[in-house]
Amino acid sequence: MHQRKSKKVLIYFFLLVLVGSINNNSINNLKFQKIKNINIFGLDEEDQKIIIYNLNNLDLKNIFFISKKKIQNIIESNSLVEEYNVIKKYPHSFDINIKKTNFIARINKNGEFFLLGNNGKLSNNDISNIQLPYIFGNPELSEVVKLKKIIDQSNIDYSQIKSLYYFKLKRWDIKFTNNLLIKLPEKIEKETLDKISTFLKNIKFKNKKIVDARIKNQIIILHE
């Protein structure tokens, strides 16, 4: 009985070695094709070329051994990218689908204006055919994005905002295209902006150019 078990163990051992050798030889002899096609969707042709050029510099040998982190770094280094996904298409290509960010403001940094995207990144201020509010002061870019989201949730029309002023006390002033200035409280909530919006619709602004909403539950109208 003991000899039979020993023989079975020995047979299994040789089978394991044989199968392992076959697999190793097959893997060693298998030649993977290099990456031939990188397709990018969602960006302009020029921006696509830049990303593809940088990806090709990674010397992508085959689709099975792509460095996910390196590809992420290259894609995310483009300030126009807000969201993306990478789809491998075997055996030698992959697609990158990109959602391009929307610009929300022009902001002054060190005496030069940049376009700020909804992704919180800065791009060159080389687009003149879109109407965007100007940001003055020195806010964190994430704070601007946060404010934009709150305004979008409220009844205030963001497209009617001419400029936004940020103060060191972490407070904002909003100036509209009709030159009406609203002084906001430190803590900005959707409900606060809705109350301001309703108030503005119910009064006439002939010589009134400043609305002070810094004090909770109070709105003060100041003449020019």
Side-chain angles (χ1 to χ4, degrees):
M1 189 71 177
H2 180 71
Q3 288 180 345
R4 287 182 181 178
K5 288 184 178 179
S6 299
K7 286 181 179 179
K8 286 183 180 181
V9 171
L10 194 59
I11 290 171
Y12 289 145
F13 174 75
F14 280 117
L15 286 174
L16 183 62
V17 172
L18 179 62
V19 172
S21 298
I22 292 173
N23 288 337
N24 288 336
N25 289 332
S26 300
I27 292 172
N28 290 333
N29 293 328
L30 184 62
K31 293 183 179 179
F32 296 110
Q33 294 184 352
K34 290 191 68 173
I35 298 294
K36 293 183 179 179
N37 298 309
I38 301 174
N39 304 305
I40 297 179
F41 305 96
L43 293 180
D44 297 336
E45 184 177 355
E46 190 63 31
D47 292 303
Q48 292 180 24
K49 288 180 179 178
I50 293 172
I51 292 179
I52 290 174
Y53 174 81
N54 291 330
L55 288 174
N56 284 329
N57 283 340
L58 292 178
D59 189 24
L60 303 173
K61 293 183 178 180
N62 62 71
I63 201 167
F64 297 97
F65 299 101
I66 294 176
S67 172
K68 184 178 179 180
K69 186 62 178 178
K70 289 181 179 179
I71 290 178
Q72 288 177 339
N73 290 339
I74 288 176
I75 297 173
E76 293 173 8
S77 67
N78 188 302
S79 62
L80 300 178
V81 176
E82 183 163 334
E83 297 176 5
Y84 66 93
N85 61 59
V86 179
I87 302 173
K88 294 181 181 179
K89 301 184 73 174
Y90 298 97
H92 49 64
S93 65
F94 60 91
D95 294 346
I96 302 174
N97 298 301
I98 292 174
K99 177 186 175 184
K100 189 175 180 179
T101 192
N102 292 317
F103 295 120
I104 61 175
R106 288 185 168 88
I107 186 167
N108 189 316
K109 288 290 183 181
N110 300 319
E112 184 178 358
F113 277 100
F114 293 89
L115 292 170
L116 174 62
N118 204 47
N119 57 3
K121 297 179 180 179
L122 297 177
S123 299
N124 291 330
N125 185 28
D126 53 5
I127 301 177
S128 59
N129 60 348
I130 53 175
Q131 186 69 33
L132 294 171
Y134 284 85
I135 306 290
F136 297 97
N138 191 31
E140 294 290 335
L141 300 182
S142 59
E143 288 296 318
V144 183
V145 175
K146 180 181 176 181
L147 176 63
K148 170 67 163 56
K149 288 180 179 178
I150 297 174
I151 293 175
D152 286 343
Q153 293 168 0
S154 74
N155 294 324
I156 288 182
D157 186 354
Y158 188 80
S159 67
Q160 296 301 308
I161 295 177
K162 180 179 180 180
S163 51
L164 295 158
Y165 300 85
Y166 180 78
F167 299 90
K168 290 182 179 180
L169 295 175
K170 294 186 177 181
R171 194 187 64 75
W172 290 90
D173 282 358
I174 296 178
K175 192 170 189 177
F176 291 91
T177 52
N178 63 359
N179 288 325
L180 176 67
L181 182 72
I182 298 180
K183 295 180 176 293
L184 297 176
E186 290 183 29
K187 185 177 181 180
I188 304 173
E189 297 176 336
K190 171 187 177 299
E191 292 74 17
T192 303
L193 297 181
D194 284 343
K195 288 179 181 178
I196 293 173
S197 176
T198 301
F199 178 78
L200 296 180
K201 291 176 182 177
N202 292 329
I203 63 173
K204 295 181 180 180
F205 289 92
K206 188 173 183 181
N207 296 316
K208 307 174 184 67
K209 292 298 181 182
I210 300 176
V211 174
D212 192 341
R214 289 176 292 180
I215 301 175
K216 188 175 182 179
N217 297 325
Q218 290 189 35
I219 296 179
I220 301 172
I221 302 173
L222 302 175
H223 293 271
E224 190 177 20

